[in-house]
Every structure is written in structure tokens, then in C-alpha cells.
Amino acid sequence: MKIKLLGLLPSEIESVVLEEGLPRFTAKQIVDWLYHKKVRSIDEMTNLSKVAREKLSEKYEVGVTAYAGLAESSDGTKKYLFPVEIARPGGWKNLDGTPATEKSAVEAVMIPDEDRATLCVSSQSGCRMGCKFCMTGRQGFHGNLSAADILSQFIAVDESDKLTNTVFMGMGEPLDNYDTVKRVIDILTAEWGFGWSPKRITLSTIGVIPNLRRYLDETRCHLAVSLHNPFPEERYAMMPVQKAWNIRDVLELIRKYDFTGQRRVSFEYTMFAGYNDDKRHADALARLLSGLECRVNLIRFHKIPDFPYDCSPTPVMEVFRDRLCRSGVTTTIRASRGEDILAACGMLAGEHNKKNQ
């Protein structure tokens, strides 16, 4: 199996070219081809000598994975299916000592909105957080994506050159694969990389506190926190991670950081009819977030099999929104996109779920 160049940092690419006996300046050329020109093969790196390209091709490949499936919503949202090969959890190895892998697939969603094109990317195949209202969480954890797997989602979609923003809100918990996600963010925001402003990137998390602290210290990107219920016992019933990372502890950490300037923090709140949508919940949520410069996004729940709750009716969501706003918490109802192609929040399942249906 060839080694993928996509996802390597300039210093790592320099080590590759020196190991292969190529001139040091070749590394800068390769970085430009990978992250500025976004090529798919080493043969496309035409300012490298033919000898250099042939030598690199013996052991290396660019590593961009083309999408294997595409669905388009009536609202213009597009869902892409990407095949991935992931290391099997548990440290399994083949007889030759190489890591054992298995084939899977993940989904990325491109959301157009006037002059914006936002890509919702996946960071894991499946998820180990176990949120009961999420199709990804209900399929269990299959493995972490590599940097090449994640970057392929940016490069291989049809809108690659038109993307304006990204949200790490696809399959998986980004902070559960933090080192790889941080590497991708570094590549996205570096001048030698994609050259994006951190303001174009948002990471969504249930609140993995150790890596949340690292994310807040090591990046200037936006943060979105999956909250969904202000009462610990009720949140735990829907989100088992509440036991490990209490939402109050998550908020205690967030309050130590400045969100009054360019960086923003928002809270995702999925509305379940008769479960978390009354005045008691609105008032408790307002108290929980009191004094924090933030926004609450109310999300329509999209029905999934074998789950007892439905989405709150629109009038109930509007009353909930208005009560929060009157309490001083900026709150909006997020427009639902891509539901007809199972691309909306909580509906991404990838290949593992398709095999099990």
C-alpha cells in the first residue's frame, strides 16, 4: 500500500524528498501542488522532473479519494458518499504486521446559501458518543478518518473551488479524533495550505473537555456545542456522554475564553416534542447560559427509526425562541436543509448503516 502525501505538513514532505534523494526545493513544489492546485496524481506535478515523479510514485500517492455516490436535494443541498479504509479498532494487525483495515464509507454535505457554500465534513466512521437521536451515533464507532480522508472531502466535491466555509458537524465527534482534525485545520488555515481564515471554520462537539481545552487554546476557529437539554439527568438520558463530561463543566471551561470578538460560540438545541421544549426548559437554558456571549440554534428534529419523539411544532419552537430572546439569549431557528436526501442534522449514516438496513 502506498503512502499518501495528502495531509502531510511541509516539514514531513521535506523529509520524504530528502529520503528519496531529491532536491530540498522539491518539497515546496509538492506542497503547492497538493494544497494550492489540489492535484489528484503525482503525474500532474509537471514542474517536477520525470525521474522525480517516477521515483515518488513507487512509494507514494497523492491520496485524494473520489466520491462514490451523490444525492441532491430539492433545496440544492448535495450529499457526497466517500469510500474510506479505516484501521480496525482494537489495534488489530495483519499477519505481516501492518495495521488491519476495513472498508467503510462516510458522508459529506454541501449546503449552498446565496453567496455561501458550506461543506459539512465527517471526521470519523460512526461515532462512539452514542447520542440516541443521531443516526451516526446509533451505528457505533468504526474508526477514525485520516487527514487525507478528511481533506479529500474538500478537494473531491464538485464545488471545491467555490467553498466559503466548513463545519465539522458530519459523522463522528471531531474532538475524539482531535490530533487529526487539528492537522486538517492547520492545513486549511496555513498560507502554504488552503489559506482560509479561521473565521470560516466551525467545529461542533458534545464537549470532550480535555481536547476542547486544546482546541480553544490551539485554534481561533468557531465553536458549536451540542447541548439539547439544560437538565443533567434529562441530557444524560439522550446523551450518555453527559456522565463523563457534564455540560456544566463544559460551560465552566468555555467561560474562561473570550467570545466577544471575532470568535463565536453557539449552542445546538434539537427540539423534541413534549420532552425539552417547554417554558421550564427555556428558563433553565437561559440561566445556564446567562452572561455568556453566545447564540442558541434551535434545530428541527428529523424523525429516525425506533425513536419515540417527534419534532416540536413550529409554533412551540417560536415560543421557545422568543422566551430565550427575552431572557437576553440570542436565539434563532435553523433552517432545515437536505432532509429529503437524509442529509439534515443527525441523519448521516454512511455505508455501515446502509449495509445493516
Side-chain angles (χ1 to χ4, degrees), residues 35 52 88 154 156 161 163 190 193 229 236 239 243 259 288-289 294 318 330 334 339 342:
Y35 303 125
R88 294 180 61 190
F154 290 91
D161 293 334
L163 297 176
N229 202 302
Y236 174 68
M239 305 173 67
K243 185 174 183 179
F259 291 98
L288 191 66
L289 302 179
C294 66
E318 291 172 344
T330 301
R334 180 185 289 171
E339 184 176 4
L342 303 181

Side-chain angles (χ1 to χ4, degrees), residues 2 22 68 134 150 213 224 229 296 353:
K2 292 184 178 180
L22 300 174
C134 174
I150 300 173
R213 183 180 292 107
N229 202 302
V296 171
N353 187 66

